[in-house]
């Protein structure tokens, strides 16, 4: 065997080694972080399945454990190192266990150094662009190589990788990889490289296949979907792509994330409203309600510019649903800056927010700022922000009472005989129903509202 072998040949070679074992080995693939990572995790499982691995959720039973990691905040990183510590004991019991680490942490030099110094039992490491190199790395490991690392390249991930999808009715479809924006707090551009858009033909082919297989929700993914196509020779934009996907035959809905407010303007809202399959919900991460902080974050929009998009949607659909991401405690965020974020939340009335205390990521520009705000102050701000959001959603969810919603039934609810799902506006809906409805659209009349969900009856 030589280095000219293709990924498919490595898959066949590993599969050959594995087929000689008494029983198929088990792999445990654990993904952390964002949906793009989970989508990568599905591709990793696809390759492992082809190589003859079965799957388990319990790392203690596994022959091959892969942590598909996230580097966006420090606590995600700490959790992975903690879990690796646990695996060390499992490997002591089962020395033939192979341990792999991939995802965003694999793109950080300090992580690689720490792995080499303190976690020598980690066998395989590969970055987000090297997914299809897993078969080669595994082949090398099985053939006695001590360590197989492949981290620092930002290629276009391979097309056509087999996928073991986590759901039979909801599918993620990455449309682009990487990010060009360099928000000053964010590590993503350093670990995922520059923007690379998939060709529209490849995306459409994948969506057609999913629609044929009966998938009901297609989630288009990218760090900033609105700049889709900027790097392609052909003249294609995200709005153009939405139109093309909307025209694919089938009974499915389209969602997408994330959008960047500097690029998500009125045209996006108009396109969303024209495309009947695109749901009426926009996740529009604002990060802060203070223009000063937005500038320090290098976000390249002002609050008023952001509000133009919100107002445009609300002029047409008065309760168009918005959700957002907010960072609390960016270095030296003053209490006035923070109050402006609360003001913005009251103006927009988000249906949900994902809020994070700022986490210093070394290598980013913001990490160089000397921060004078204490952790206690940041926690207190977070508590106030969450309390305000609870008030806002308690009030605004009442608007759904008496309304009919089309809901994709998603999972069993907490109460016996109940199901949960999401409405077009991305609201959690709880209702009584048979388990067999999971994966199907149902019409629900909303009878009551809480601050995080609504409840209703199937019509
Ligand atoms: N600290 C806290 N939150 C962060 N995010 C990204 N980087 C950081 C950081 N260093 C948040 C942003 C982004 C979401 C995915 O994660 O709000 O929109
Ligand atoms: Fe990070 Fe900003 Fe890129 Fe989002 S747009 S991934 S926050 S750099």
């Amino acid at each position: 065997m030589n280095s000219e072998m293709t990924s498919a040949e490595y898959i066949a070679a590993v599969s050959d080694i594995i087929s000689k074992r008494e029983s198929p080995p088990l792999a445990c693939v654990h993904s952390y972080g964002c949906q793009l990572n989970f989508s990568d995790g599905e591709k990793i499982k696809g390759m492992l399945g082809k190589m003859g691995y079965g799957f388990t959720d319990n790392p203690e039973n596994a022959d091959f454990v892969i942590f598909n990691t996230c580097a966006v905040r420090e606590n995600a990183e700490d959790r992975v190192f903690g879990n690796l510590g646990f695996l060390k004991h499992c490997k002591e019991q089962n020395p033939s266990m192979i341990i792999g680490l991939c995802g965003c942490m694999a793109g950080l030099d300090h992580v690689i150094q720490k792995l080499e110094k303190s976690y020598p039992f980690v066998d395989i490491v590969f970055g987000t662009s090297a997914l299809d190199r897993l078969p080669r790395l595994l082949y090398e490991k099985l053939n006695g190589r001590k360590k197989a690392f492949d981290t620092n390249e930002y290629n276009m991930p391979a097309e056509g990788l087999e996928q073991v999808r986590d759901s039979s009715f909801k599918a993620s479809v990455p449309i682009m990889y990487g990010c060009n924006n360099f928000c000053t707090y964010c590590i993503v551009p350093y670990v995922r490289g520059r923007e690379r858009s998939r060709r529209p033909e490849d995306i459409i082919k994948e969506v057609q296949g999913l629609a044929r297989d009966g998938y009901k929700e297609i989630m288009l993914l990218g760090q900033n979907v609105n700049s889709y196509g900027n790097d392609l020779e052909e003249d294609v934009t995200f709005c153009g792509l939405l139109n093309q996907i909307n025209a694919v035959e089938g009974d499915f809905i389209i969602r997408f994330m994330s959008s960047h407010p500097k690029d998500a303007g009125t045209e996006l809202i108009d396109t969303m409203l024209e495309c009947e399959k695109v749901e009426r919900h926009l996740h529009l991460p604002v990060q802060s309600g203070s223009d000063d902080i937005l500038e320090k974050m290098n976000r390249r929009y002002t609050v008023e510019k952001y509000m133009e998009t919100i107002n445009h949607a609300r002029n047409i659909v008065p309760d168009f649903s918005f959700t957002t991401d907010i960072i609390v405690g960016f270095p030296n965020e003053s209490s006035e800056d923070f109050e402006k974020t609360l003001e913005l939340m009251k103006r927009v009335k988000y249906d949900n927010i994902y809020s994070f205390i700022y986490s210093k990521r070394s290598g980013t520009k913001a990490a160089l700022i000397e921060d004078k705000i204490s952790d206690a102050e940041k926690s207190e701000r977070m508590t106030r922000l969450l309390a305000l959001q609870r008030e806002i959603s308690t009030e605004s969810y009442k608007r759904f009472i008496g309304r009919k919603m089309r809901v994709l039934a998603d999972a069993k609810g907490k109460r016996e005989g109940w199901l949960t799902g999401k409405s077009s506006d991305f609201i959690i809906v709880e209702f009584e129903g048979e388990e067999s409805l999971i994966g199907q659209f149902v019409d629900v009349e909303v009878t009551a509202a809480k601050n995080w969900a609504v409840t209703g009856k199937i019509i």
Side-chain angles (χ1 to χ4, degrees):
M1 298 288 177
N2 60 57
S3 59
E4 302 301 314
M5 279 166 64
T6 63
S7 184
E9 285 166 333
Y10 278 114
I11 288 181
V14 172
S15 153
D16 196 42
I17 298 173
I18 281 176
S19 64
K20 299 197 173 87
R21 298 199 179 170
E22 266 171 36
S23 56
L26 293 179
C28 171
V29 181
H30 195 94
S31 295
Y32 301 78
C34 70
Q35 298 197 46
L36 263 168
N37 243 23
F38 278 81
S39 171
D40 285 349
E42 293 180 342
K43 289 179 183 142
I44 291 168
K45 283 189 248 178
M47 287 184 280
L48 291 170
K50 271 192 113 177
M51 290 187 275
Y53 277 88
F55 296 102
T56 171
D57 288 332
N58 183 357
E60 287 175 79
N61 298 337
D63 301 279
F64 186 11
V65 181
I66 298 192
F67 287 154
N68 181 23
T69 61
C70 168
V72 168
R73 282 169 291 275
E74 196 174 6
N75 54 7
E77 216 172 290
D78 291 344
R79 213 148 39 101
V80 169
F81 281 118
N83 289 344
L84 280 178
F86 167 73
L87 280 192
K88 185 179 178 195
H89 298 292
C90 301
K91 197 162 172 162
E92 277 160 9
Q93 307 298 315
N94 172 15
S96 66
M97 176 189 260
I98 300 176
I99 298 177
L101 184 142
C102 63
C104 289
M105 276 172 70
L108 292 173
D109 290 343
H110 77 263
V111 170
I112 301 299
Q113 283 156 16
K114 193 163 166 179
L115 288 176
E116 285 181 342
K117 189 159 164 257
S118 312
Y119 298 81
F121 53 89
V122 174
D123 306 285
I124 291 180
V125 176
F126 54 101
T128 52
S129 307
L131 281 192
D132 57 321
R133 250 140 324 136
L134 168 64
R136 177 176 62 109
L137 298 172
L138 186 55
Y139 175 81
E140 289 173 352
K141 178 68 201 165
L142 292 171
N143 276 291
R145 186 164 156 192
K146 197 161 174 290
K147 271 188 192 303
F149 281 23
D150 193 341
T151 53
N152 276 334
E153 268 180 59
Y154 300 118
N155 299 322
M156 187 67 192
E159 282 295 333
L161 290 182
E162 200 120 339
Q163 225 159 319
V164 174
R165 293 198 180 264
D166 293 334
S167 162
S168 58
F169 56 92
K170 293 201 299 187
S172 301
V173 176
I175 60 167
M176 59 193 297
Y177 304 93
C179 181
N180 289 357
N181 290 312
F182 290 93
C183 301
T184 56
Y185 51 81
C186 187
I187 197 73
V188 168
Y190 303 91
V191 292
R192 285 195 173 261
R194 296 295 72 70
E195 287 172 1
R196 282 102 62 211
S197 303
R198 287 177 70 196
R199 287 168 43 219
E201 311 83 274
D202 291 330
I203 298 170
I204 298 297
K205 208 165 104 193
E206 183 173 345
V207 172
Q208 284 167 336
L210 291 165
R212 265 198 307 275
D213 291 344
Y215 279 84
K216 295 287 188 288
E217 178 184 297
I218 308 285
M219 173 69 88
L220 309 175
L221 297 177
Q223 303 298 341
N224 171 17
V225 291
N226 315 104
S227 57
Y228 172 77
N230 287 354
D231 58 316
L232 293 178
E233 265 174 29
E234 52 209 290
D235 190 17
V236 55
T237 62
F238 180 60
C239 289
L241 182 73
L242 272 184
N243 272 305
Q244 285 188 53
I245 297 176
N246 188 61
V248 172
E249 231 173 90
D251 182 20
F252 63 91
I253 56 173
I254 304 167
R255 298 189 186 276
F256 56 87
M257 69 192 323
S258 278
S259 288
H260 195 303
K262 78 177 166 55
D263 302 315
T266 52
E267 189 196 350
L268 176 68
I269 300 288
D270 293 343
T271 306
M272 289 176 75
L273 295 174
E274 278 156 26
C275 293
E276 74 285 355
K277 290 190 173 101
V278 176
E279 295 290 69
R280 294 194 170 182
H281 156 249
L282 182 60
H283 183 64
L284 200 56
V286 73
Q287 314 298 359
S288 169
S290 152
D291 285 342
D292 273 356
I293 295 291
L294 288 174
E295 200 180 328
K296 289 181 181 134
M297 289 177 163
N298 188 32
R299 291 289 287 175
R300 287 176 280 166
Y301 53 85
T302 59
V303 168
E304 283 322 304
K305 181 92 186 86
Y306 181 88
M307 285 306 298
E308 276 174 24
T309 305
I310 306 273
N311 291 337
H312 182 74
R314 295 264 170 87
N315 281 337
I316 308 169
V317 179
D319 68 346
F320 193 104
S321 175
F322 287 96
T323 55
T324 200
D325 292 345
I326 292 176
I327 295 180
V328 174
F330 183 81
N332 302 329
E333 176 193 64
S334 67
S335 51
E336 291 76 28
D337 291 320
F338 176 65
E339 293 299 329
K340 286 180 185 164
T341 298
L342 299 183
E343 275 315 304
L344 177 72
M345 286 166 60
K346 289 182 204 158
R347 272 175 89 183
V348 178
K349 295 196 174 65
Y350 293 105
D351 278 324
N352 204 350
I353 58 167
Y354 302 86
S355 48
F356 313 97
I357 290 187
Y358 168 77
S359 171
K360 181 173 170 176
R361 305 280 53 213
S362 79
T364 62
K365 274 203 175 153
L368 302 173
I369 308 172
E370 196 196 330
D371 189 6
K372 301 202 178 71
I373 313 291
S374 71
D375 288 350
E377 174 67 34
K378 293 184 185 194
S379 301
E380 203 184 306
R381 287 182 193 172
M382 179 61 112
T383 308
R384 280 186 62 203
L385 180 129
L386 292 174
L388 173 63
Q389 182 55 36
R390 262 195 307 278
E391 253 174 57
I392 292 172
S393 10
T394 305
E395 199 42 47
S396 71
Y397 278 25
K398 287 183 189 156
R399 73 187 192 274
F400 297 115
I401 296 176
R403 240 191 245 183
K404 192 178 109 177
M405 281 176 162
R406 188 174 190 237
V407 177
L408 178 57
D410 214 2
K412 284 201 277 182
K414 286 204 186 84
R415 281 179 284 181
E416 189 60 36
W418 285 67
L419 302 177
T420 71
K422 290 252 172 65
S423 70
S424 169
D425 338 69
F426 210 56
I427 303 290
I428 299 173
V429 185
E430 298 184 313
F431 51 96
E432 274 181 281
E434 304 276 328
E435 247 178 75
S436 58
L437 292 174
I438 292 175
Q440 295 188 39
F441 292 111
V442 288
D443 287 326
V444 173
E445 187 182 320
V446 178
T447 51
K450 309 179 198 177
N451 61 22
W452 55 274
V454 299
T455 50
K457 279 198 178 74
I458 294 186
I459 307 170

